[in-house]
Amino acid sequence: MPSLKKLLSDSVVYGLSSIVGRFLNYLLFPVYTYHISAASGGYGVVTNVYAYTALLLVILTFGMETTFFYFSNREGMDRRKVFSTALGAVGTVSAVFVALVMVFIAPIALGMGYPDHPEYIRAMACVVALDAFQSILFARLRQDGRPWKFFALKMAFIILSMSLNLFVFLVAPHWSHLPWMAWYDEANNVKYIFYINLFCTAIVTLGFIKELSDFSFSQFSFPLVKQMLRYAWPLLLFGIVGIFNQVADKILLPWLLPGEEGLVQLGIYGASVKLAMIMALITQAFRYAYEPFVFGMGTRAKSSEPSQKEGHKDKQSKETQALATKYFIIFTLLAFLVVMGYIDVLQYLMGADYREALPAVPIVMMAEILMGIYFNLSFWYKLTGQTWWGAMMSAIGCVVLVAVNIIFVPKIGYMACAWGGLAGYGVCVLLSYFIGQKKNPVPYPVGRILWYFFIALVLFFMMEVVPIRQLGWRLVFNTFLILVFVIRTVYDEWEELFRPIFKKLGIKR
């Protein structure tokens, strides 16, 4: 299938910027947790502020990424006009946001719980505004099929950020006596994390000079922006509740457990579930390639009077979506087993005082898998323009998540955050699947998907209950169980996926 090959090749390149880049960024994870004690609550501050940043980024982009793809692929649309309108709208909103934060910084910092550190809020307000602006520029690269420039800019940010963080945390303490290091104060490490982020984000913006040259004020269209906003507003609601599903626990926890204890628990929880973020990386890499790919197939397969050829394209597009979803689930379940199989080693990525929350990792990973499935199931309402369905379903899932947090966090602490995410995404998946099959049915292989879930959960259960005390033998046993999943998958998918691949490599079964 040439379309699946294109999806796979683009996913690999986009994935390099996300997975490899985030893997390099993981080098900062032990640096932070070994140099910022859990008891100080410093890592809780970082986790909390970045949660607000993620939520604000969705608000400032207000669904314009997806809207940009949708309108760019409509027949008769001027792509430059669509680009200039989307970029101009997001840029204007972001600039107004930064201006308002600077004017009202004192009450905002007080409301967020950081009245003594307004510099945290100033720095991250600028970061989120630049990120929102860059989101349309990165979307332009994806639309133009330029994954390697996308990769280069993402990696430039990661490498620069990692280098500066390593200098501040590992080198600066030993050079602090030097005259030119008078600016450094080890007590301000949290502030330096935010400042480095701002500096690196600003530098990356310079890499978009070519794309910015294609922006034209004369191409900005008020009638078009009205059409785009009508399409985007449900996506904004969908995005807000969607990201709130991801960050609500990190925002609510300090409120539900007030005082220093809330930030301490948040730091421990945030550090531990960082191990589960491999799922977010896979989902993000898949999304970067999948979204323009599906819109490119889906919108072009529609017309007012569909021909037999167009009907065939629409059927092929749905079959491709079904296959891509199945393979996505297979690989995320494999990642789940790998992380849980080697958790005894991976736990040393964080300081010892953060490891108490390791039992939350498998729950959060399963929640991330469900989030990825929900994303895959979401295209029926995006392609048909019924984006309000996404907002409604995500809102219901969000209510479930918040309810679980409010009821159970005071009783069981951060473990309620993990279970809340799983429950919220589980509800979203069920709603999206059953409603989607009525509105725009896709032939998902549900039986095969449930079979893979069953195998993965049984193998995980064996990892947990088989009493092997010696670390080496436990890793050997877990590796064997991971191979069982791989072998079974190859057997089940041989004819459809692996035989064509192995045939090209000259390998016979």
Side-chain angles (χ1 to χ4, degrees):
M1 291 185 183
S3 53
L4 273 178
K5 291 178 182 177
K6 172 65 174 173
L7 173 62
L8 179 60
S9 63
D10 282 359
S11 292
V12 168
V13 179
Y14 292 126
L16 285 174
S17 62
S18 295
I19 296 175
V20 176
R22 292 284 186 90
F23 175 76
L24 292 175
N25 202 34
Y26 264 125
L27 295 176
L28 300 178
F29 174 48
V31 170
Y32 292 159
T33 57
Y34 276 92
H35 289 81
I36 302 175
S37 70
S40 71
Y43 197 72
V45 172
V46 174
T47 303
N48 182 244
V49 172
Y50 274 111
Y52 279 107
T53 301
L55 179 60
L56 287 168
L57 180 60
V58 171
I59 295 173
L60 294 184
T61 54
F62 50 95
M64 272 294 165
E65 279 184 276
T66 301
T67 303
F68 169 73
F69 289 125
Y70 180 79
F71 279 84
S72 293
N73 283 287
R74 291 180 65 180
E75 291 186 11
M77 276 291 179
D78 184 334
R79 288 195 174 188
R80 188 182 181 192
K81 178 181 287 188
V82 173
F83 170 69
S84 295
T85 302
L87 187 64
V90 173
T92 300
V93 170
S94 298
V96 171
F97 166 76
V98 170
L100 290 174
V101 170
M102 297 306 168
V103 171
F104 299 103
I105 185 63
I108 292 174
L110 178 63
M112 292 180 63
Y114 306 111
D116 297 329
H117 296 283
E119 68 273 14
Y120 298 169
I121 314 305
R122 290 193 192 96
M124 294 314 294
C126 294
V127 167
V128 74
L130 285 173
D131 279 342
F133 187 68
Q134 289 180 10
S135 69
I136 304 301
L137 298 170
F138 276 115
R140 176 65 182 269
L141 296 180
R142 292 157 59 197
Q143 179 67 48
D144 292 344
R146 302 175 64 194
W148 286 108
K149 181 169 183 178
F150 185 103
F151 167 80
L153 291 175
K154 290 289 185 179
M155 288 300 296
F157 174 87
I158 292 294
I159 293 172
L160 183 59
S161 174
M162 185 176 65
S163 301
L164 293 176
N165 273 281
L166 290 176
F167 174 80
V168 166
F169 281 89
L170 301 183
V171 178
H174 302 288
W175 289 5
S176 59
H177 63 283
L178 299 175
W180 61 275
M181 289 290 293
W183 57 269
Y184 176 75
D185 181 1
E186 194 168 1
N188 289 328
N189 278 343
V190 170
K191 178 179 71 176
Y192 298 143
I193 292 174
F194 300 139
Y195 281 7
I196 289 171
N197 194 337
L198 175 58
F199 175 76
C200 296
T201 304
I203 291 296
V204 168
T205 306
L206 300 177
F208 287 107
I209 293 176
K210 182 179 184 301
E211 286 68 34
L212 288 171
S213 67
D214 202 33
F215 171 82
S216 172
F217 286 104
S218 63
Q219 290 289 316
F220 184 90
S221 169
F222 283 102
L224 178 57
V225 84
K226 290 180 181 178
Q227 295 180 48
M228 296 176 81
L229 289 174
R230 279 197 296 269
Y231 179 87
W233 77 261
L235 289 178
L236 171 60
L237 297 179
F238 168 65
I240 289 174
V241 293
I243 196 66
F244 197 69
N245 281 334
Q246 297 179 52
V247 302
D249 49 1
K250 302 170 188 67
I251 292 176
L252 292 174
L253 189 56
W255 293 98
L256 297 172
L257 294 176
E260 192 68 23
E261 179 62 20
L263 286 175
V264 170
Q265 282 214 26
L266 177 57
I268 295 171
Y269 172 68
S272 294
V273 299
K274 189 102 173 170
L275 294 176
M277 288 302 102
I278 184 66
M279 292 304 171
L281 305 185
I282 294 174
T283 302
Q284 185 184 47
F286 193 81
R287 174 177 176 265
Y288 283 144
Y290 195 43
E291 194 165 47
F293 164 78
V294 171
F295 275 114
M297 289 190 68
T299 55
R300 289 185 174 88
K302 299 180 182 296
S303 67
S304 57
E305 297 181 1
S307 66
Q308 183 176 358
K309 183 177 179 181
E310 289 169 334
H312 174 71
K313 286 183 178 180
D314 184 56
K315 180 181 178 181
Q316 186 181 48
S317 173
K318 290 183 177 182
E319 290 174 349
T320 301
Q321 289 180 54
L323 286 175
T325 300
K326 181 179 68 171
Y327 297 144
F328 167 81
I329 292 171
I330 289 172
F331 287 116
T332 52
L333 287 174
L334 175 60
F336 169 80
L337 290 174
V338 170
V339 172
M340 298 315 304
Y342 300 108
I343 193 72
D344 293 310
V345 175
L346 293 174
Q347 66 173 323
Y348 293 105
L349 286 172
M350 67 181 75
D353 49 348
Y354 288 90
R355 295 173 197 160
E356 68 176 64
L358 285 175
V361 173
I363 304 170
V364 175
M365 292 191 77
M366 273 297 162
E368 290 288 340
I369 292 177
L370 293 180
M371 183 184 70
I373 296 173
Y374 181 43
F375 169 77
N376 280 274
L377 296 177
S378 70
F379 276 95
W380 68 264
Y381 58 77
K382 291 181 180 178
L383 288 172
T384 58
Q386 302 179 62
T387 47
W388 60 272
W389 275 107
M392 184 183 70
M393 290 183 294
S394 294
I396 294 173
C398 187
V399 169
V400 172
L401 181 149
V402 171
V404 172
N405 276 264
I406 292 175
I407 295 170
F408 293 105
V409 163
K411 299 176 181 179
I412 61 175
Y414 53 72
M415 287 301 295
C417 300
W419 286 111
L422 186 67
Y425 283 122
V427 169
C428 288
V429 167
L430 293 175
L431 289 173
S432 187
Y433 174 75
F434 286 111
I435 297 174
Q437 291 303 94
K438 290 182 178 294
K439 299 292 183 180
N440 189 38
V442 174
Y444 296 109
V446 177
R448 182 63 63 87
I449 288 171
L450 293 177
W451 167 244
Y452 287 127
F453 265 102
F454 174 76
I455 296 174
L457 291 175
V458 167
L459 295 174
F460 168 65
F461 181 74
M462 293 175 66
M463 290 178 182
E464 293 292 299
V465 301
V466 174
I468 303 176
R469 294 180 178 273
Q470 209 280 328
L471 177 61
W473 284 112
R474 188 159 66 250
L475 294 177
V476 170
F477 177 71
N478 291 348
T479 301
F480 169 75
L481 294 179
I482 294 169
L483 289 175
V484 168
F485 183 83
V486 172
I487 293 170
R488 182 69 218 194
T489 300
V490 172
Y491 178 83
D492 288 341
E493 302 297 326
W494 180 267
E495 294 296 333
E496 194 169 53
L497 178 64
F498 291 102
R499 183 187 287 277
I501 295 174
F502 289 169
K503 186 176 180 180
K504 286 188 176 183
L505 297 175
I507 301 173
K508 296 182 179 181
R509 188 175 183 178

